[in-house]
């Protein structure tokens, strides 16, 4: 609060700045790196980075069963690397490119702590 004789009182409120995301916890970083260590999950990520796909579309693309694709997608989702959205009766999966892009900086920040 600011007041000077002859002037109107003025009240100043602090303005919060947008918080920058901190480094990912070690457990999450480990989970993400283990998820990407499997060759099939890397191939799935390559497709999911370009466009959203359903489980059956990915199964047809790689000639594997839908339950196998579903297991791989569950690992990626648990690691926070893909997002899903429902369109009618279909579930579309897409790679969270920002989460993948932060992996390098998160790794360095974790190592240098």
């Amino acid at each position: 609060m600011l007041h000077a004789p002859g002037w109107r009182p003025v009240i100043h409120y602090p303005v919060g700045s947008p918080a920058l995301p901190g480094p990912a916890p070690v457990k999450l970083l480990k989970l993400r790196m283990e998820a990407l260590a499997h060759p099939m999950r890397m191939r799935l990520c390559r497709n999911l980075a370009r466009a959203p796909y359903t489980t059956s579309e990915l199964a047809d693309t790689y000639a594997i069963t839908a339950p196998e694709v579903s297991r791989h997608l569950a690992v990626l989702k648990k690691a926070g690397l893909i997002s899903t959205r429902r369109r009618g009766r279909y579930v579309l999966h897409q790679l969270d490119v920002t989460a993948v892009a932060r992996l390098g900086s998160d790794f360095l920040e974790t190592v240098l702590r």
Side-chain angles (χ1 to χ4, degrees):
M1 180 133 147
L2 176 65
H3 176 69
W7 293 79
R8 290 183 169 177
V10 177
I11 299 175
H12 292 274
Y13 294 98
V15 177
S17 63
L20 294 173
V26 175
K27 186 176 179 180
L28 179 62
L29 182 62
K30 181 179 180 261
L31 196 63
R32 286 180 174 174
M33 293 180 85
E34 286 174 350
L36 292 172
H38 195 283
M40 179 52 75
R41 288 194 281 267
M42 283 294 289
R43 285 187 218 122
L44 291 172
C45 285
R46 199 172 291 136
N47 271 33
L48 296 172
R50 295 183 185 111
Y53 286 91
T54 65
T55 304
S56 58
E57 289 172 334
L58 291 168
D60 291 342
T61 301
Y62 292 104
I64 57 176
T65 64
E68 191 175 352
V69 171
S70 202
R71 282 191 292 274
H72 287 302
L73 292 174
V75 172
L76 292 169
K77 186 168 183 165
K78 184 178 178 185
L81 295 173
I82 63 170
S83 60
T84 58
R85 71 175 191 269
R86 183 169 288 281
R87 183 178 290 162
R89 64 183 192 146
Y90 298 103
V91 177
L92 295 170
H93 309 279
Q94 188 163 22
L95 187 70
D96 184 355
V97 179
T98 57
V100 175
R102 281 198 45 93
L103 274 175
S105 61
D106 285 346
F107 176 75
L108 280 175
E109 289 174 13
T110 302
V111 169
L112 298 176
R113 276 190 218 171

